[in-house]
């Protein structure tokens, strides 16, 4: 969620830190700040809003130093103010933090002599460390002692007055990486932040802390034992972020979907059978699949529920991760637990995985970051092959999640004897045809752009779908509300008359996602109910569907024809483009919508 960066360099670090923080903007933030050590003196600068405000502050009030830490904050404890912005400082120590210190009130009570400057939990970390410095501890010992008293989730970087060659880094529940340079060392929330400086990365593991100097890093595990963590070389394309000529990252990522989906499918289904390169997956003895995720990934799981149950005859439970572990559901020892997360660091999903560990027969994950916590803690991690996704509103990661889950459903159906080899081969051929069909759907952009001018003036928009298109209605509504700030709701079409139809009048656009499938006639009946009440129906269907049902619709978008099983993958394109162009017409911040973060690493 928040972004952390640290540099021990040979040059002035303030501009380097700002550039690194820019690469973490995709995580979402509402304030930013830096702290440096210059000739032993610790100092800092902070600003509310975008990084340009911090850059302006540095022009008027430069911050010299060749050692420093930086931070982009997404507000949790305390609003977005300068006082609450990181780094937080207490005397001789400055701290940047991603996560939540759950026992900060208890620690504040223990530090009753401290002079508090903010409303944050993070300041408690700085004050506690300063307390131990007052007891004549060294900076290293004071930081380690501080860590012992923290409860919750955190990635932390400490910088100390008088210590121009030391950053203490630690992680528990939030990701943190160390970058290795030539006589320079770096700390960052992920490899993206560090990629202009180095491609040599060491990922801290759960409970690790490290003493970072220009000579290298001493890493210790949660028990204080010296740890030997792997140094990895990250491919340049894995951390490349640019808009590729598009106005927004989201637009670029929408148009990358044919390519990334093709890469994803080639990984799992090059021939006539599904293959899992990462290891064996056997659904033949599984009594149910438990699918757990948050946000858009949860809607991918809801689609997969239809696929697993209808194609493979395999019962599925779908849970929101933030509810799953607190509900404490019974987990069969024959169940396969499957966790889906773009970042692989989603705090609620990781906590749910840990709840299922030791209960389910096997834990699988579908992630976009192979080095992530969720991937490392799974029995088997299945990659999305989506590449870096910067836009907060997930697009290409979502479509690759559907691609992976479709392959797993087909695999399960074959293993359970529900489909034969010929049917599997035919389904995989149709699956591999989807990237070309997505290109055809993307060609409808200008038409969608024109129609969204009306949506941009709406106060409420409804999305309807039946069967596996119902989760797409939920996803379409989520996309619209999160980047355009228009109230939107997704419903199963058959539920319309059980309450939501009360919202329908001539001011309420209703987007109906309806390929010509076995449920199409029932969806048309629901459309008629909307139109009878002056609702403005935007029908998204294929040519046969348009020929049958477009009369009376406000607008009709004709999609390529596709097997109904794969329609949720194809129809995600208009859902995304409707949200994108509505937001552009409204002038909102498409890539960094207010109050949202890309990687939600706090509960």
């Amino acid at each position: 969620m928040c972004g952390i960066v640290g540099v021990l360099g040979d040059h002035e670090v303030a501009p380097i830190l700002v550039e690194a923080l820019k690469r973490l903007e995709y995580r979402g933030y509402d304030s930013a700040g830096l702290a440096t050590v210059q000739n032993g003196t610790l100092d800092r600068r902070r600003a509310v809003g975008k990084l340009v405000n911090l850059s302006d502050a540095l022009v008027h009030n430069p911050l010299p130093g060749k050692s420093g830490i930086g931070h982009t904050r997404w507000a949790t404890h305390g609003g977005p103010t300068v006082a609450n912005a990181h780094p937080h400082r207490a005397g001789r120590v400055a701290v940047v933090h991603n996560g939540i210190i759950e026992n900060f009130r208890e620690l504040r009570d223990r530090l009753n002599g401290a002079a508090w400057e903010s409303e944050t939990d993070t300041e408690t970390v700085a004050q506690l460390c300063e307390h131990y410095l007052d007891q004549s501890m060294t900076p290293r010992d004071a930081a380690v002692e501080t860590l012992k008293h923290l409860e919750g989730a955190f990635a932390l970087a400490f910088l100390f007055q008088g210590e121009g060659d030391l950053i203490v880094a630690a992680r528990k529940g939030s990701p943190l990486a160390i970058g290795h340079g030539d006589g320079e060392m770096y700390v960052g929330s992920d490899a993206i932040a560090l990629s202009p400086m180095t491609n040599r990365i060491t990922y801290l593991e759960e409970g690790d802390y490290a003493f970072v100097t220009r000579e290298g890093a001493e890493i210790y595990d949660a028990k204080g034992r010296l740890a030997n963590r792997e140094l990895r070389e990250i491919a340049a394309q894995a951390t490349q972020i640019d808009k590729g000529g598009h106005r927004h990252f989201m637009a670029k990522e929408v148009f990358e979907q044919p390519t990334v989906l093709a890469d994803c499918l080639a990984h799992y289904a090059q021939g006539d059978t599904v293959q899992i390169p990462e290891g064996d997956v056997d659904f033949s003895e599984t009594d149910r699949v438990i699918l757990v995720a948050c946000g858009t990934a949860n809607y991918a799981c809801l689609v997969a529920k239809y696929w697993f149950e209808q194609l493979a005859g395999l019962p599925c439970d779908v849970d929101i991760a933030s509810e799953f572990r607190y509900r404490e559901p019974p987990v069969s020892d024959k169940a396969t637990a499957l966790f889906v997360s773009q970042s692989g660091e989603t705090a609620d999903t990781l906590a749910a995985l840990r709840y299922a560990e030791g209960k389910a027969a096997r834990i699988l994950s579908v992630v976009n970051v192979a080095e992530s916590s969720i991937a490392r803690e799974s029995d088997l991690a299945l990659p999305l092959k989506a590449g870096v996704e910067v836009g907060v509103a997930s697009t290409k990661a979502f479509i690759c999640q559907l691609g992976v889950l479709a392959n797993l459903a087909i695999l399960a159906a074959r293993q359970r004897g529900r489909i034969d080899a010929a049917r599997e081969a035919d389904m995989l051929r149709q699956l591999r045809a989807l990237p070309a069909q997505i290109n055809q759907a993307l060609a409808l952009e200008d038409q969608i752009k024109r129609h969204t001018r009306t949506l941009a003036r709406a106060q409420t928009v409804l999305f309807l779908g039946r069967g596996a298109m119902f989760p797409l209605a939920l996803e379409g509504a989520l996309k619209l509300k999160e980047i355009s700030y228009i109230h939107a709701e997704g419903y199963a079409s058959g539920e319309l008359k059980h309450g939501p139809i009360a919202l329908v009048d001539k001011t309420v656009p209703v987007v109906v996602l309806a390929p010509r499938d076995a449920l199409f006639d029932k969806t048309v009946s629901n459309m008629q109910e909307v139109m009878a009440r002056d609702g403005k129906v935007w029908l998204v269907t294929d040519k046969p569907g348009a020929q049958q049902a477009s009369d009376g619709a406000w607008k009709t978008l004709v999609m390529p024809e596709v097997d109904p099983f794969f329609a949720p993958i194809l129809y995600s394109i208009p859902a995304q483009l409707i949200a994108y162009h509505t937001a552009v017409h409204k002038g909102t911040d498409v890539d960094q919508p207010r109050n949202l973060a890309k990687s939600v690493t706090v509960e």
Side-chain angles (χ1 to χ4, degrees):
M1 186 168 287
C2 305
I4 289 174
V5 64
V7 176
L8 298 174
D10 288 334
H11 308 283
E12 292 295 315
V13 295
I16 299 172
L17 291 169
V18 170
E19 286 302 310
L21 290 176
K22 286 180 181 178
R23 299 178 68 83
L24 292 172
E25 285 187 299
Y26 74 96
R27 288 170 165 257
Y29 71 105
D30 43 45
S31 61
L34 311 178
T36 65
V37 174
Q38 165 76 349
N39 296 327
T41 301
L42 179 66
D43 201 358
R44 62 178 169 165
R45 304 285 183 269
R46 299 176 293 172
V48 173
K50 297 298 184 184
L51 277 167
V52 66
N53 297 334
L54 179 61
S55 296
D56 288 346
L58 291 168
V59 169
H60 297 293
N61 193 6
L63 187 64
K66 296 182 180 180
S67 309
I69 54 176
H71 190 268
T72 51
R73 176 181 187 250
W74 188 85
T76 51
H77 293 84
T81 65
V82 171
N84 289 332
H86 297 216
H88 285 285
R89 180 178 180 179
R92 292 155 287 181
V93 59
V95 175
V96 290
H97 169 221
N98 179 16
I100 292 178
I101 306 302
E102 294 176 355
N103 63 331
F104 82 99
R105 291 184 179 86
E106 173 191 331
L107 293 174
R108 277 195 173 220
D109 291 341
R110 287 169 51 186
L111 295 165
N112 55 17
W116 301 99
E117 297 180 351
S118 76
E119 306 166 80
T120 69
D121 54 333
T122 305
E123 188 185 358
T124 309
V125 180
Q127 293 282 5
L128 187 60
C129 190
E130 174 66 11
H131 168 74
Y132 291 123
L133 289 173
D134 282 341
Q135 296 182 9
S136 300
M137 287 189 182
T138 67
R140 295 187 182 210
D141 290 342
V144 172
E145 187 64 27
T146 298
L147 297 175
K148 294 177 183 178
H149 297 275
L150 303 181
E151 297 175 8
F154 54 77
L156 288 163
F158 297 78
L159 189 69
F160 295 92
Q161 179 133 331
E163 297 285 345
D165 192 25
L166 176 66
I167 293 175
V168 180
R171 71 151 292 179
K172 178 185 175 185
S174 292
L176 200 61
I178 295 173
H180 303 259
D182 184 9
E184 299 183 320
M185 291 291 287
Y186 315 98
V187 175
S189 293
D190 58 34
I192 291 174
L194 306 182
S195 59
M197 298 172 280
T198 183
N199 68 337
R200 301 168 63 234
I201 303 294
T202 298
Y203 290 93
L204 295 184
E205 297 188 7
E206 186 70 1
D208 282 356
Y209 61 90
F211 303 129
V212 183
T213 68
R214 288 176 177 83
E215 291 186 357
E218 292 180 16
I219 302 174
Y220 295 83
D221 65 17
K223 294 183 178 180
R225 300 171 301 198
L226 196 62
N228 183 21
R229 304 302 183 208
E230 181 184 359
L231 192 155
R232 308 183 185 195
E233 289 197 7
I234 307 299
Q237 61 268 27
T239 55
Q240 183 177 355
I241 56 170
D242 62 69
K243 295 178 182 175
H246 291 273
R247 183 174 175 182
H248 299 98
F249 282 110
M250 182 179 175
K252 177 199 174 191
E253 289 156 6
V254 166
F255 278 85
E256 286 177 339
Q257 288 177 115
T259 299
V260 297
L261 181 61
D263 291 343
C264 173
L265 299 179
H267 185 75
Y268 295 102
Q270 288 187 343
D272 291 338
T273 60
V274 176
Q275 304 289 336
I276 308 296
E278 288 69 34
D280 293 334
V281 176
D282 187 356
F283 290 101
S284 61
E285 300 299 322
T286 294
D287 65 358
R288 77 178 44 246
V289 175
I290 300 169
L291 295 152
V292 182
C294 298
T296 286
N298 180 255
Y299 297 148
C301 291
L302 286 172
V303 173
K305 176 181 173 70
Y306 286 89
W307 290 342
F308 277 109
E309 292 185 345
Q310 293 176 357
L311 188 67
L314 184 55
C316 285
D317 297 328
V318 179
D319 260 292
I320 299 168
S322 57
E323 293 294 324
F324 177 76
R325 67 172 175 139
Y326 295 113
R327 190 163 61 83
E328 298 183 351
V331 177
S332 165
D333 61 5
K334 292 185 178 180
T336 296
L338 180 57
F339 299 85
V340 183
S341 168
Q342 186 279 138
S343 68
E345 300 291 350
T346 309
D348 290 317
T349 307
L350 182 58
L353 183 155
R354 290 168 177 165
Y355 171 83
E357 193 173 13
K359 299 181 179 70
R362 196 170 197 193
I363 291 177
L364 307 180
S365 62
V366 177
V367 295
N368 202 33
V369 183
E371 302 84 6
S372 63
S373 299
I374 289 174
R376 290 199 302 268
E377 296 189 28
S378 302
D379 295 322
L380 193 65
L382 307 179
L384 295 179
K385 300 294 183 179
V388 175
E389 186 177 71
V390 175
V392 166
S394 182
T395 53
K396 63 178 182 173
F398 175 66
I399 214 164
C400 288
Q401 287 165 357
L402 292 176
V404 175
L405 293 169
N407 274 288
L408 289 177
I410 294 169
L411 176 65
R414 185 238 297 166
Q415 291 174 339
R416 296 169 67 84
R418 297 285 294 234
I419 61 173
D420 60 17
R423 172 68 170 142
E424 180 180 16
D426 179 62
M427 294 191 76
L428 293 180
R429 281 193 294 272
Q430 294 187 65
L431 193 55
R432 288 192 294 268
L434 275 169
Q437 293 172 311
I438 289 172
N439 269 322
Q440 297 175 41
L442 290 169
L444 302 172
E445 182 188 25
D446 286 344
Q447 190 180 153
I448 293 171
K449 183 178 180 179
R450 289 195 302 271
H451 300 341
T452 52
R453 291 186 182 277
T454 300
L455 261 63
R457 297 192 292 270
Q459 298 297 311
T460 293
V461 178
L462 301 182
F463 287 76
L464 302 180
R466 270 188 180 266
M469 300 306 293
F470 163 47
L472 256 292
L474 295 171
E475 168 64 4
L478 176 63
K479 283 287 169 287
L480 187 67
K481 72 180 75 170
E482 68 182 341
I483 64 172
S484 76
Y485 316 146
I486 294 172
H487 173 254
E489 297 294 338
Y491 290 99
S493 300
E495 280 294 291
L496 186 69
K497 54 185 172 291
H498 295 287
I501 200 167
L503 297 172
V504 174
D505 61 25
K506 63 183 179 181
T507 69
V508 178
V510 180
V511 180
V512 180
L513 303 171
R516 184 72 172 83
D517 58 16
L519 298 173
F520 183 74
D521 290 340
K522 295 186 180 296
T523 302
V524 171
S525 296
N526 302 134
M527 283 174 49
Q528 296 297 328
E529 294 167 353
V530 172
M531 292 188 291
R533 289 155 180 83
D534 295 325
K536 303 169 72 168
V537 169
W538 186 349
L539 174 61
V540 182
T541 187
D542 48 32
K543 187 175 180 180
Q547 291 172 340
Q548 177 179 338
S550 61
D551 287 350
W554 166 58
K555 301 290 182 184
T556 301
L557 185 72
V558 180
M559 295 282 289
E561 292 183 48
V562 66
D563 185 303
F565 184 87
F566 300 117
I569 299 177
L570 182 63
Y571 278 63
S572 65
I573 301 302
Q576 294 165 1
L577 289 175
I578 286 170
Y580 173 74
H581 284 292
T582 301
V584 170
H585 288 315
K586 288 201 69 179
T588 59
D589 190 340
V590 172
D591 288 331
Q592 298 169 37
R594 68 189 182 198
N595 303 332
L596 295 179
K598 180 65 178 174
S599 179
V600 183
T601 56
V602 296
E603 185 179 354

